[in-house]
Amino acid sequence: MSISSKRYKMIVCMNGHQLCVNEEPDKNVCGVCPKCGAALIDECPVCHEPIPGIISVSTWAVNPTIATPHYCPACQNPYPWTADTINRALQLLNRSSKFSKQDQVEFAQIIPHLIIETEYTKSAKNKYQCLIRKAGPATTNGLKEILAKVCSADVRKSLWQI
């Protein structure tokens, strides 16, 4: 008996709503999200690699429920929903008079390390805690609302106890 495997692709809307994790690799995707009306994609807009879905082996699926990825594994660029989250956080910071241009640059550098675990996540959490002390409550709560949805579980727990 031979074992074969197949990698499917994921269908996600531009806002990050996952619609399917087992789309056939050669099938073209078009349409809009039934949740928000945004366009659907099944590949990285930068490098055009498929968004990885499940892997099936013979008749069973490995990891049938998988999270929507934040970054393309091929080119490392953020998917549109991740880029939008980062941009919204940075726009909120830019509107605050409490942060210098250097603070804003530092925030831009640490946010990706809060979203996914990297070797820099621990220092990014420490830097976030130092920088956020300058913010007023509206900015602090706004950043928490924007970032808590996409940050890693460890980051959510250590920064916001959620």
Side-chain angles (χ1 to χ4, degrees), residues 3-49:
I3 297 176
S4 62
S5 67
K6 182 176 185 179
R7 167 66 85 172
Y8 291 90
K9 60 185 178 179
M10 185 182 294
I11 300 174
V12 185
C13 82
M14 295 292 280
N15 291 324
H17 298 121
Q18 184 185 102
L19 275 71
C20 177
V21 297
N22 61 346
E23 186 64 40
E24 291 291 333
D26 56 351
K27 187 173 180 186
N28 290 328
V29 173
C30 61
V32 296
C33 177
K35 292 180 183 179
C36 68
L40 301 177
I41 63 171
D42 62 355
E43 64 180 26
C44 173
V46 177
C47 72
H48 304 289
E49 281 293 314

Side-chain angles (χ1 to χ4, degrees), residues 13-145:
C13 82
M14 295 292 280
N15 291 324
H17 298 121
Q18 184 185 102
L19 275 71
C20 177
V21 297
N22 61 346
E23 186 64 40
E24 291 291 333
D26 56 351
K27 187 173 180 186
N28 290 328
V29 173
C30 61
V32 296
C33 177
K35 292 180 183 179
C36 68
L40 301 177
I41 63 171
D42 62 355
E43 64 180 26
C44 173
V46 177
C47 72
H48 304 289
E49 281 293 314
I51 301 171
I54 63 169
I55 299 172
S56 70
V57 179
S58 295
T59 59
W60 54 278
V62 176
N63 197 11
T65 58
I66 56 176
T68 303
H70 296 294
Y71 292 87
C72 174
C75 70
Q76 306 304 309
N77 281 295
Y79 285 118
W81 48 91
T82 305
D84 179 60
T85 298
I86 293 169
N87 288 336
R88 286 186 296 122
L90 294 177
Q91 287 171 359
L92 178 62
L93 289 166
N94 292 341
R95 286 194 299 267
S96 173
S97 61
K98 309 257 183 186
F99 297 108
S100 68
K101 291 293 180 196
Q102 180 60 35
D103 293 337
Q104 293 171 8
V105 168
E106 289 180 16
F107 264 115
Q109 292 170 342
I110 66 169
I111 288 174
H113 301 289
L114 300 175
I115 295 174
I116 59 168
E117 294 285 333
T118 72
E119 64 218 54
Y120 303 108
T121 298
K122 184 176 181 179
S123 61
K125 290 187 299 186
N126 292 335
K127 189 59 149 173
Y128 179 90
Q129 289 172 325
C130 289
L131 288 168
I132 203 66
R133 289 184 188 127
K134 298 179 181 183
T139 302
T140 302
N141 292 334
L143 282 174
K144 176 182 175 184
E145 185 177 317

